[in-house]
């Protein structure tokens, strides 16, 4: 879960400069792809562990995105990945906030 939290922060870094910057920057696009694949793989593991998805989250959607990026990398629609990064991932971050939060006692040395 802590990895998810960090990847959500990474998505903010990828999208922070805006859509135009994302669409012209192949490195930013690759970073976004990598984050979406990691989120999708994590969703797959959580689904297999029978962790119920919170309202607004469908593990299968993230898994499908991961699979598309891995297997159809030559036909990626950057407008679609942008939308996923700025609409879907923040909604997931909000829905999963309690699961990815670091407990107070875990943050202390």
């Amino acid at each position: 879960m802590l990895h998810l939290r960090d990847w959500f922060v990474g998505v903010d870094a990828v999208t922070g400069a805006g859509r135009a910057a994302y669409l012209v920057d192949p490195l930013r696009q690759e970073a976004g792809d990598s984050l979406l694949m990691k989120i999708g793989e994590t969703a797959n593991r959580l689904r297999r562990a029978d962790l119920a998805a919170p309202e607004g989250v469908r593990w299968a959607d993230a898994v499908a995105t991961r699979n598309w990026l891995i297997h159809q990398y030559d036909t990626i629609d950057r407008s679609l990945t942008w939308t996923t990064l700025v609409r879907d991932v923040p909604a997931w971050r909000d829905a999963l906030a309690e699961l990815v939060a670091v407990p107070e006692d875990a943050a202390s040395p």
Side-chain angles (χ1 to χ4, degrees):
M1 289 300 182
L2 297 179
H3 291 296
L4 273 177
R5 183 201 61 205
D6 294 342
W7 296 329
F8 291 153
V9 171
V11 167
D12 290 342
V14 167
T15 60
R19 185 177 190 272
Y22 173 80
L23 292 176
V24 299
D25 186 346
L27 188 57
R28 198 174 287 273
Q29 294 167 7
E30 291 295 324
D33 292 352
S34 177
L35 292 162
L36 289 173
M37 286 185 269
K38 290 174 182 177
I39 292 167
E41 180 57 25
T42 301
N44 194 33
R45 292 177 185 190
L46 294 172
R47 181 179 65 175
R48 286 193 321 246
D50 292 325
L51 180 68
E55 187 172 332
V57 172
R58 291 190 42 199
W59 299 139
D61 290 346
V63 174
T65 298
R66 172 210 175 271
N67 290 341
W68 181 263
L69 290 169
I70 289 172
H71 298 292
Q72 304 298 325
Y73 57 86
D74 56 337
T75 60
I76 295 171
D77 178 341
R78 291 298 169 198
S79 293
L80 184 57
T81 54
W82 171 258
T83 299
T84 302
L85 290 165
V86 299
R87 185 191 68 198
D88 300 331
V89 172
W92 274 47
R93 180 186 54 225
D94 294 346
L96 294 167
E98 288 185 34
L99 291 174
V100 302
V102 178
E104 287 285 325
D105 56 351
S108 303

